[in-house]
Amino acid sequence: AVLDQPDPASPAGIRDLAIITLMAYCGLRTIEIHRLNLDDLGTEGDRMVLYVQGKGHTEADATAVIPRDQERIIRAWLVERRRLGESSKALFVSLSPRSKGGRLSTRAIREIVTGYYEDAGVTNGAKTTHSLRHTAITTYIKAGGDLMGAQALARHESPDTTTGYIHEVNRIVNPPEDLISY
């Protein structure tokens, strides 16, 4: 699995696992990962959350809740980031000598994720960063999640956009053909 590929003993592996975790569990888009700042991370109640600037938005006005079991991964990156002495406002920064400390570009994020797909043996080229978001949403639906929850997870403005995911899942998991009896 892609989540098993980053090396948890290296700074890049710790960072990359945090990125992939946010995509796979919170359905974050590449552009949302790119735009995240350190101060977009917060708490509401006793939950770790991210304030996300979504596609087409000018400010971080949507909330993504980090699953409790995944908080340790995000915290590990924060500890590593501090250890490295990072002062950038960007949550995810480059660790390469050429652009060290700079905000990760969307291209770099895509290359990181596709590299881990290749490491995991997924080489058909159809898997992208968006595949992690798609998997998060469809996994929620397959687990019995409803339209409103899927819409909140995906941060879709219109439920019509989210309905496409539900239709896709239900077409295979709960096909109407199974309900026909003569």
Side-chain angles (χ1 to χ4, degrees):
V2 174
L3 283 163
D4 296 332
Q5 299 311 309
D7 177 4
S10 76
I14 295 167
R15 178 202 60 197
D16 298 351
L17 182 57
I19 290 170
I20 293 169
T21 295
L22 293 176
M23 292 177 147
Y25 285 90
C26 300
L28 265 64
R29 298 173 176 97
T30 303
I31 190 66
E32 293 168 340
I33 294 287
H34 165 74
R35 290 176 176 160
L36 284 174
N37 290 320
L38 191 57
D39 63 0
D40 291 332
L41 193 57
T43 56
E44 287 193 25
D46 66 340
R47 300 303 302 266
M48 182 185 278
V49 297
L50 277 171
Y51 302 105
V52 179
Q53 180 185 347
K55 186 170 74 172
H57 289 246
T58 57
E59 58 188 57
D61 57 0
T63 304
V65 180
I66 298 168
R68 291 185 197 282
D69 291 348
Q70 306 313 314
E71 288 180 7
R72 65 182 167 67
I73 293 168
I74 307 308
R75 289 186 206 292
W77 168 240
L78 295 175
V79 167
E80 186 63 22
R81 194 179 181 283
R82 243 178 274 122
R83 190 189 71 73
L84 294 169
E86 284 304 329
S87 60
S88 169
K89 71 177 191 171
L91 181 57
F92 295 109
V93 294
S94 172
L95 301 175
S96 71
R98 212 179 60 185
S99 55
K100 188 165 177 23
R103 183 181 299 273
L104 274 182
S105 67
T106 54
R107 179 180 178 185
I109 295 165
R110 282 190 296 273
E111 287 174 357
I112 287 166
V113 172
T114 56
Y116 288 119
Y117 276 126
E118 289 172 12
D119 292 348
V122 180
T123 57
N124 67 5
K127 296 293 184 186
T128 65
T129 53
H130 189 76
S131 301
L132 292 170
R133 173 179 169 74
H134 189 273
T135 299
I137 298 164
T138 57
T139 299
Y140 169 78
I141 294 164
K142 287 176 182 176
D146 63 4
L147 173 62
M148 289 183 69
Q151 182 181 355
L153 171 65
R155 293 166 314 284
H156 288 149
E157 293 203 12
S158 168
D160 294 341
T161 307
T162 313
T163 301
Y165 285 89
I166 292 173
H167 172 74
E168 178 186 326
V169 168
N170 285 340
R171 186 68 189 110
I172 302 302
V173 174
N174 190 21
E177 291 88 345
D178 285 353
L179 298 177
I180 297 171
S181 174
Y182 295 102

